[in-house]
Amino acid sequence: MSHIYDRVALIGMGLIASSMFWAMKRGDLAGHVTGFARSEETRETARRIGLCDTVCDTLADAVRDADLIVLAVPVGVMGQIAAEIAPYLKPGATLTDVGSVKGRVIADVSPHVPDGVHFVPGHPLAGTEYSGPESGFPSLFDNRWCLIVPPEGADPQAVDTLSTFWRGLGSDVELMEPDHHDLVLSVTSHCPHLIAYTMVGVADDLGRVTNTEVIKYSAGGFRDFTRIAASDPTMWRDVFLSNKDATLEILGRFTEELFALQRAIRQGDGEFLHDYFTRTRAIRRSIIEAGQDTAAPNFGRSG
Ligand code: NAP
């Protein structure tokens, strides 16, 4: 029997939780999986598509007897949900989350974790711009990193078992400190999203002047920005409000670089621009070599 946990509870049934469920089934990693979402609509959809072995109408029913409880809700509500489920958690259980920010989640959730329950936060570096119970698929985590971010004094056995579980879901696992996680993710994910939101906002403003030509002639660069900028607004609002310091630090650096490029363009400094773009091209190459993206033209898209 390959079950890593006998009973798993998924709190929230959106993109990440539903992908975890299908990947758990693919790998036969759990004996029984319960799920809870706040809206009746999501619970009904989950029942219709067979998402989770049991869909529960209350948080208490979902987490009771669970060996692993996964908080897969927006970062801003993790603390409140931890407080609500605390009285029903089984001693010896592991509580984890999949939130995109770690420092704030650890600060919000830790005070509510009962003695004897192991809190081991995590963050799978995998996603799409889609959300909701029907957006998940079993291969979402394949060959993607999952960062496990244990707070000080975390139980090593609980950390080990959760790492094995994520490997079973298809991920490569690494441990990281919370502050470091939030800084790294600010560079690799949070600020790029903010820049995409900004660029699409600019195009939208301009679109009113150019009568939708921006949409009609949208080519590679802009089209890829719009994909990122289609991500869930609640999730991303919470990410920026929760990872304020690192975001402001990286945005400050970004603005300085942008001004340097702006000045080079104004002064006709082609050498500066060429050197800059040569350096950035090498980064793209290393991402492909690290197996984190495809080298196919147009990101492997057919159209
Ligand atoms: P999602 O598809 O939008 O699903 C969110 C789930 O949370 C839904 O089931 C929703 O319930 C529930 N929820 C929302 N607000 C709630 C509230 N106030 N109280 C209780 N439940 C609430 O989101 P997701 O993409 O799976 O993201 C979940 C977590 O994973 C977030 O913390 C995010 O930071 C993290 N994450 C996301 C990605 C990504 O690319 N999407 C990647 C890595 C990590 P209803 O359906 O009933 O509204």
Side-chain angles (χ1 to χ4, degrees), residues 56-275:
C56 301
D57 290 321
T58 66
L59 279 167
D61 286 346
V63 304
R64 202 173 280 127
D65 297 327
D67 303 291
L68 176 72
I69 303 95
V70 183
L71 303 178
V73 293
V75 167
V77 293
M78 298 252 183
Q80 176 199 321
I81 289 182
E84 280 180 52
I85 60 175
Y88 310 101
L89 298 179
K90 180 168 93 171
T94 294
L95 174 65
T96 189
D97 78 296
V98 293
S100 307
V101 177
K102 297 278 60 105
R104 163 85 188 274
V105 168
I106 291 173
D108 288 357
V109 170
S110 298
H112 304 293
V113 181
D115 285 347
V117 170
H118 309 296
F119 177 41
V120 186
H123 179 199
L125 306 189
T128 72
E129 67 276 30
Y130 299 107
S131 50
E134 293 183 274
S135 58
F137 53 98
S139 60
L140 178 67
F141 309 110
D142 287 352
N143 305 316
R144 298 278 160 241
W145 288 104
C146 180
L147 301 176
I148 305 282
V149 187
E152 255 184 51
D155 181 67
Q157 184 59 54
V159 173
D160 257 20
T161 308
L162 187 67
S163 302
T164 306
F165 174 72
W166 273 106
R167 282 192 202 97
L169 294 175
S171 289
D172 296 322
V173 173
E174 202 138 284
L175 302 191
M176 207 179 255
E177 298 272 323
D179 287 354
H180 191 66
H181 168 278
D182 289 354
L183 186 67
V184 170
L185 266 292
S186 177
V187 179
T188 57
S189 167
H190 305 169
C191 286
H193 271 82
L194 199 69
I195 292 159
Y197 281 124
T198 316
M199 198 56 226
V200 176
V202 169
D204 182 43
D205 281 348
L206 196 68
R208 293 189 195 121
V209 182
T210 56
N211 287 330
T212 71
E213 280 172 326
V214 169
I215 303 292
K216 186 170 165 192
Y217 300 123
S218 79
F222 179 66
R223 214 169 47 175
D224 292 325
F225 274 138
T226 60
R227 186 185 58 74
I228 298 173
S231 301
D232 186 67
T234 307
M235 167 186 157
W236 285 98
R237 176 202 62 196
D238 282 8
V239 165
F240 293 116
L241 295 180
S242 309
N243 197 16
K244 199 169 169 176
D245 292 349
T247 303
L248 294 179
E249 163 66 22
I250 299 305
L251 275 185
R253 288 165 183 256
F254 175 79
T255 316
E256 284 172 24
E257 296 289 304
L258 198 60
F259 278 141
L261 290 170
Q262 192 175 333
R263 178 193 285 164
I265 292 167
R266 192 186 307 288
Q267 296 178 339
D269 187 348
E271 199 182 327
F272 181 91
L273 295 176
H274 193 270
D275 286 353

